Amino acid sequence: MNTKRPFIHDDFLLDTPAARELYHHHAAGLPIVDYHCHLPPKEIADDIRWDNIATLWLGGDHYKWRAMRTAGVNERFCTGDATPWEKFEQYAATMPKLLRNPLYHWSHLELARSFGVGDRLLDPETARGIYDHCNALLAQPEFTCRGLMKKFKVEVVCTTDDPVDSLEHHAAIAADPSFDIQVRPTWRPDKSLAIDQPAVFAAWLESLEKASGTSIGTLADLMAALQKRHDFFASRGCRLSDRGVDTIWAEDCTENEAASIFAKARAGGVVTPSEAVRYKSHLLHELAAMDAAKGWTMQIHYGALRNNNTRMKRMLGPDCGFDSIGDLPVAAALAKHLDRLDLAGCLPKTIIYNLNPRDNELVASMTGNFQDGNTAGKIQFGSGWWFLDQLDGMTRQIESLSQLGLLSQFVGMLTDSRSFLSYTRHEYFRRLLCNILGRDIERGLLPNDLSLVGKMVQDIGYHNARRYFGFFENP
């Protein structure tokens, strides 16, 4: 049933006059620095377009697949061979069942901002009209992936890339004078840690040998190959690294011990769990030191319990919506990891993202241990990530950071997405931030000085990230 007032309206999420003033006069219209995402650089290089909204909106979106499965939608309409219209129709039928699920906000915000569909809710009755409307727009010249990026005032995008990637598409984008949005790679060496996954590790080492032109028989060879690729990424404009890990490893391990463990794995031996942890501890330190030497920012995404459904992983492969929040301990190892780097003078700028909300105060308090008094906000408590990049998760992250750190130094939101429609997450975050601060003004917890508070909104929404990463000092 249609509402008299559009669901996504000008004051969406803004509960108070102060919140509305902060958003409309200080946050709305800020450019976007999207410093972590999973967009395929080839699609940006090719400036792809889509035949239909279903391919753009539902393809690869494990958030939507999870919701559809929960609503009883057959896998054929999620990842299977159903037609684009059939998949869209099934998602539209799921929408009324998503009330209070973050997808209800995200989906309607994306339809409103990308396609101007703000006058009706998506449901079975409106599905066909919305589908045809969106498809007609997608046929227009400006509705390419680059066109959408320009529409949302994106200035910088950082993709996520394996050290073995050629970065040929990044080079093509950078060489195109008609496109002025920075598209930078991000170094993600997760597979260098996969010593306890023999098949994955061996195949990746073979790829690294080819990419680096280095024969890898020893740990020293591995580090030399990684350094070559690290240097290459830097030459292509990389300014950030990332690790997607279960937890942090920081066991004592000498270089000789790590070399012995690597040699055992390279010879086809079985690495014990204890040996794997020691090797990973050593490598995490060395990889961070590489980042520090180049002035990069290190990102740590930890806490996911991945690919829990064995049957569906066998059917579909990894990363298809069967992950959840993990609960491995992290505090002592995280402190030890950062402390070792600090003692060695090679602690890079660091952003820590937790996936379990129980760790909010843990991470927020940990960041204060390693600020250096020179780089503002050197160690960051990262934005709500994955299961937490929604109204409650982002609110809780902001509250924890506010109480235990300096919200004013926060580098703000990112999409962490494979979709070119996800830039609305920046708007969602900015509205949420303004609502929190606006409520505080109304309650007398912050000064009723909209210029003062508005400057902080602008910094968190845009300026802090631009300064912190230095994208415009070394384009």
Side-chain angles (χ1 to χ4, degrees):
M1 185 177 75
N2 291 341
T3 57
K4 292 182 180 180
R5 185 186 195 188
F7 178 56
I8 303 298
H9 53 82
D10 286 347
D11 295 333
F12 178 62
L13 298 186
L14 305 173
D15 296 340
T16 65
R20 294 189 279 274
E21 175 77 13
L22 287 172
Y23 179 74
H24 292 303
H25 291 89
H26 298 277
L30 286 173
I32 288 175
V33 173
D34 198 34
Y35 57 87
H36 175 71
C37 75
H38 296 273
L39 292 177
K42 183 179 188 305
E43 294 185 358
I44 303 175
D46 294 343
D47 195 18
I48 67 162
R49 62 171 58 252
W50 302 268
D51 293 334
N52 61 82
I53 178 64
T55 301
L56 168 60
W57 211 33
L58 302 177
D61 193 333
H62 53 80
Y63 289 89
K64 294 186 177 77
W65 296 341
R66 284 171 67 98
M68 292 166 74
R69 292 173 188 132
T70 304
V73 175
N74 187 274
E75 192 65 30
R76 176 171 175 262
F77 300 100
C78 300
T79 61
D81 62 358
T83 66
W85 160 244
E86 289 173 327
K87 291 182 178 182
F88 186 86
E89 183 181 32
Q90 288 295 323
Y91 186 63
T94 303
M95 279 294 290
K97 304 171 185 178
L98 293 176
L99 294 173
R100 299 206 85 236
N101 183 284
L103 282 168
Y104 200 78
H105 283 178
W106 294 346
S107 296
H108 283 113
L109 192 60
E110 288 173 357
L111 287 173
R113 297 296 180 257
S114 299
F115 300 102
V117 181
D119 59 338
R120 70 209 112 144
L121 301 176
L122 178 59
D123 59 33
E125 293 183 2
T126 63
R128 187 80 232 186
I130 290 175
Y131 185 75
D132 291 342
H133 170 81
C134 292
N135 290 349
L137 288 178
L138 287 172
Q140 296 183 6
E142 65 269 23
F143 272 82
T144 64
C145 71
R146 291 188 182 187
L148 286 169
M149 294 167 77
K150 292 176 181 177
K151 175 183 178 68
F152 286 105
K153 299 177 67 174
V154 178
E155 289 188 348
V156 182
V157 165
C158 294
T159 60
T160 302
D161 312 275
D162 191 285
V164 304
D165 288 347
S166 69
L167 304 187
E168 60 186 292
H169 304 301
H170 290 85
I173 296 166
D176 185 348
S178 69
F179 188 62
D180 60 359
I181 297 173
Q182 296 183 35
V183 180
R184 294 174 178 262
T186 295
W187 165 268
R188 183 148 175 172
D190 290 1
K191 290 181 180 177
S192 69
L193 301 165
I195 199 165
D196 49 359
Q197 303 174 56
V200 172
F201 195 53
W204 181 79
L205 287 174
E206 183 178 344
S207 297
L208 181 61
E209 285 182 323
K210 293 177 181 177
S212 65
T214 302
S215 177
I216 301 174
T218 67
L219 179 64
D221 295 336
L222 171 63
M223 300 313 298
L226 286 169
Q227 187 65 64
K228 283 185 179 180
R229 299 304 295 169
H230 201 270
D231 294 342
F232 175 71
F233 268 57
S235 74
R236 290 291 184 266
C238 181
R239 301 301 297 272
L240 294 95
S241 70
D242 191 21
R243 295 100 175 85
V245 292
D246 302 335
T247 187
I248 304 300
W249 304 283
E251 294 295 318
D252 293 331
C253 183
T254 67
E255 185 173 349
N256 286 340
E257 288 173 330
S260 177
I261 296 167
F262 179 85
K264 180 180 180 180
R266 201 70 172 120
V270 177
V271 173
T272 68
S274 175
E275 289 172 331
V277 168
R278 296 203 305 276
Y279 167 84
K280 292 177 182 183
S281 300
H282 176 78
L283 214 65
L284 277 182
H285 180 90
E286 296 302 314
L287 290 168
M290 282 186 188
D291 296 343
K294 286 196 174 70
W296 288 5
T297 298
M298 173 176 70
Q299 298 175 98
I300 300 173
H301 286 86
Y302 82 88
L305 190 63
R306 300 176 186 270
N307 303 309
N308 297 281
N309 189 320
T310 302
R311 177 179 60 85
M312 295 305 291
K313 182 181 178 184
R314 288 172 179 168
M315 182 188 300
L316 302 174
D319 306 323
C320 287
F322 300 96
D323 308 316
S324 56
I325 294 171
D327 62 351
L328 292 175
V330 70
L334 179 58
K336 189 174 181 179
H337 177 52
L338 298 176
D339 191 46
R340 279 178 173 170
L341 292 165
D342 186 66
L343 281 170
C346 56
L347 176 60
K349 289 185 290 186
T350 300
I351 307 176
I352 306 166
Y353 309 86
N354 59 291
L355 194 55
N356 194 322
R358 67 161 193 196
D359 291 348
N360 282 352
E361 285 75 20
L362 185 160
V363 175
S365 63
M366 185 72 69
T367 62
N369 297 332
F370 299 99
Q371 306 293 357
D372 65 4
N374 294 309
T375 302
K378 177 178 178 178
I379 312 299
Q380 292 271 332
F381 177 15
S383 177
W385 164 52
W386 199 343
F387 295 107
L388 304 182
D389 64 350
Q390 29 76 3
L391 194 67
D392 178 66
M394 288 192 289
T395 297
R396 293 169 71 177
Q397 187 269 349
I398 289 171
E399 294 293 351
S400 297
L401 175 56
S402 298
Q403 305 308 317
L404 298 171
L406 294 184
L407 179 63
S408 63
Q409 304 305 303
F410 183 31
V411 292
M413 190 55 177
L414 48 102
T415 62
D416 189 31
S417 175
R418 292 166 177 81
S419 171
F420 289 94
L421 300 183
S422 292
Y423 294 115
T424 51
R425 293 186 186 179
H426 287 263
E427 176 185 341
Y428 196 82
F429 169 82
R430 291 166 179 172
R431 286 178 177 272
L432 170 62
L433 173 67
C434 290
N435 200 48
I436 292 171
L437 298 175
R439 284 179 179 175
D440 281 355
I441 290 173
E442 298 289 334
R443 295 167 60 198
L445 299 178
L446 287 176
N448 189 9
D449 184 336
L450 293 173
S451 177
L452 172 67
V453 181
K455 180 183 183 303
M456 186 167 79
V457 167
Q458 292 178 335
D459 285 343
I460 296 169
Y462 171 66
H463 294 291
N464 285 348
R466 180 176 171 129
R467 286 190 291 261
Y468 185 81
F469 299 109
F471 292 134
F472 295 89
E473 286 69 30
N474 183 19

